[in-house]
Amino acid sequence: MKYIVCEKPHEFLLKQKPMPQQKPGESLLKIKKIGVCGTDIHAFGGNQPYFNYPRILGHELAAEYIEGKAPGFTTGDKVTFIPYFHCGKCIACRNGLTNCCVNMQVFGVHIDGGMAEYVSIKDEFLLHGEGLDYEELALVEPLAIAAHAVRRACVTKKDTVLVMGAGPIGLGLIQFAQLAGAEVIIMDINEYRLNFCQETLRISHSINPLKEEVADSLSTFTNGDMPTVVFDATGNQNVMNSAFNYIAHGGRFVLVGLQKGELAFSHPDFHKRESTLMSSRNATKQDFDYVLQTLRSGKIEPKKYITHRGAFNDTIDNFKNWINPENNAIKIIIDVD
Ligand SMILES: NC(=O)c1ccc[n+]([C@@H]2O[C@H](COP(=O)([O-])OP(=O)(O)OC[C@H]3O[C@@H](n4cnc5c(N)ncnc54)[C@H](O)[C@@H]3O)[C@@H](O)[C@H]2O)c1
Ligand SMILES: [Zn+2]
Ligand SMILES: [Zn+2]
């Protein structure tokens, strides 16, 4: 079978290897669509922390069920799967927090992933994809990240939510916060993405920090209250540090974006607001099930995020072009048919 490996930063190779061996309790899947994630782009660019090469990337996957004994699955079924392989034994797993397992192995990050024609996956991670198409199924994982963060923040219709960063993760945050009934404000420095949010996601309040004072605009939009929930989906340290001043009194600040440095904030300002700071990592089966149900009911249409599509065999030729910021990619989907 064919697979694409990131041999070292800035180098993909298209190679051949034998079909994956199914271990007991695993099923063989034929990969149909692969979503390209920021993590894949960082790994390719050599700026993903703690990353080992060579590595087969790809964790946003839609597949056809080929062979195995997974209860309820038969050959030809459309599937996706949870790519966070948790240990089931650690303190987090024992408490049902499989998303932040101590021994987490993310498929396509810590271990080889799905930029391949076939993979063999433990049955426990499989999810039914009936009623959805393969492109929708390839979008389930990034949506689950967003759904988890929104659930963690307990967003309700009483909230005014600021989403910082309008990448695929931020777009998911917007949509699930809207589904929870909240009013959403988007902030980004990318005008193309801000326009996308206004036009496609019906966001009326958007902020570009390059053009305006963020705190002032937030105050205007909220009649001086400020947002009760702030999500970071930029992964930018300065943005995160500034955002401590954007939270309403009694509000929550949720770090979905990741950066390598330390955060610094004024304790008196944090304290007087009785602010809550939380991070949000990955997602659990509950979040994946919620995303699948939301997609089936047509409440969100994330295929609108797909800006670029290409064939598996052309991936190496396309990749540098896709990730060039001038091409305004939001979501890229590789077609393995
Ligand atoms: N919590 C998790 O488990 C998890 C999972 C996946 C991704 N992430 C993280 O979520 C973040 C977002 O991921 P993505 O794929 O949407 O990334 P992305 O790069 O597509 O989007 C980030 C957005 O932030 C904007 N931005 C950057 N600097 C800014 C600034 N100074 N002010 C305002 N906007 C700014 C960019 O223009 C971009 O639109 C990343 O940090 C990623 O590592 C976290
Ligand atoms: Zn991802
Ligand atoms: Zn664990």
Side-chain angles (χ1 to χ4, degrees):
M1 66 156 197
K2 286 186 279 193
Y3 69 104
I4 294 170
V5 61
C6 188
E7 194 68 19
K8 55 183 191 228
H10 307 286
E11 187 178 68
F12 274 137
L13 296 177
L14 180 63
K15 290 185 159 180
Q16 289 275 350
K17 66 175 177 177
M19 291 286 283
Q21 290 295 315
Q22 271 168 266
K23 298 193 188 96
E26 288 186 356
S27 295
L28 183 69
L29 310 180
K30 169 152 193 356
I31 298 294
K32 295 293 224 175
K33 306 273 180 195
I34 306 165
V36 176
C37 173
T39 309
D40 303 321
I41 296 170
H42 288 141
F44 179 76
N47 41 35
Q48 180 72 9
Y50 315 113
F51 202 84
N52 296 317
Y53 303 85
R55 177 68 69 228
I56 302 173
L57 307 178
H59 59 271
E60 302 183 359
L61 301 160
E64 181 182 347
Y65 192 87
I66 301 294
E67 190 180 275
K69 297 194 178 103
F73 290 87
T74 46
T75 303
D77 282 358
K78 286 185 220 154
V79 298
T80 182
F81 59 89
I82 302 174
Y84 323 127
F85 298 169
H86 62 270
C87 75
K89 295 182 183 129
C90 74
I91 176 67
C93 287
R94 295 199 311 276
N95 286 329
L97 304 173
T98 51
N99 59 304
C100 57
C101 169
V102 175
N103 307 305
M104 177 68 78
Q105 299 269 279
V106 177
F107 192 68
V109 180
H110 306 107
I111 53 173
D112 280 341
M115 276 202 191
E117 287 182 294
Y118 293 89
V119 296
S120 181
I121 297 296
K122 271 194 190 164
D123 297 342
E124 64 181 291
F125 297 112
L126 295 176
L127 298 164
H128 288 284
E130 82 272 358
L132 299 173
D133 65 33
Y134 285 122
E135 284 196 341
E136 288 169 315
L137 289 171
L139 295 168
V140 167
E141 188 271 346
L143 289 169
I145 301 275
H148 182 74
V150 170
R151 177 163 71 90
R152 216 164 130 47
C154 299
V155 174
T156 73
K157 60 178 188 301
K158 286 187 181 168
D159 286 307
T160 301
V161 169
L162 169 65
V163 174
M164 306 189 298
I169 300 295
L171 298 179
L173 291 168
I174 293 171
Q175 295 220 271
F176 291 113
Q178 285 177 329
L179 274 184
E183 171 98 19
V184 181
I185 302 166
I186 181 71
M187 178 186 120
D188 202 297
I189 48 176
N190 180 324
E191 279 294 322
Y192 172 83
R193 287 187 170 185
L194 289 177
N195 286 335
F196 179 88
C197 292
Q198 284 163 348
E199 283 162 22
T200 313
L201 303 181
R202 310 177 321 277
I203 298 283
S204 44
H205 293 324
S206 68
I207 298 176
N208 184 340
L210 300 178
K211 293 187 175 168
E212 60 205 287
E213 197 54 57
V214 179
D216 292 347
S217 299
L218 288 172
S219 181
T220 308
F221 290 155
T222 60
N223 295 322
D225 288 340
M226 305 302 274
T228 52
V229 181
V230 176
F231 288 105
D232 177 77
T234 67
N236 180 296
Q237 184 185 31
N238 295 329
V239 171
M240 292 183 193
N241 282 335
S242 305
F244 284 93
N245 299 315
Y246 306 156
I247 316 168
H249 280 235
R252 293 89 90 195
F253 183 15
V254 188
L255 305 178
V256 190
L258 286 165
Q259 53 90 28
K260 289 186 255 182
E262 294 178 355
L263 297 180
F265 54 91
S266 151
H267 183 195
D269 287 343
F270 187 78
H271 201 92
K272 78 178 179 201
R273 290 175 166 85
E274 204 183 49
S275 316
T276 301
L277 174 63
M278 55 180 103
S279 58
S280 180
R281 185 179 180 200
N282 299 333
T284 64
K285 181 158 191 310
Q286 181 183 346
D287 303 306
F288 279 83
D289 287 342
Y290 173 66
V291 170
L292 288 164
Q293 177 202 324
T294 312
L295 286 170
R296 283 190 188 110
S297 64
K299 286 184 186 151
I300 58 169
E301 296 173 274
K303 285 209 289 186
K304 290 175 180 165
Y305 311 171
I306 304 173
T307 48
H308 295 69
R309 295 172 168 88
F312 185 71
N313 288 342
D314 300 334
T315 302
I316 297 178
D317 291 339
N318 284 333
F319 206 77
K320 281 191 181 147
N321 201 20
W322 280 338
I323 65 176
N324 180 343
E326 284 175 14
N327 288 323
N328 283 323
I330 297 178
K331 185 48 82 181
I332 301 156
I333 297 281
I334 299 169
D335 187 349
V336 196
D337 281 339

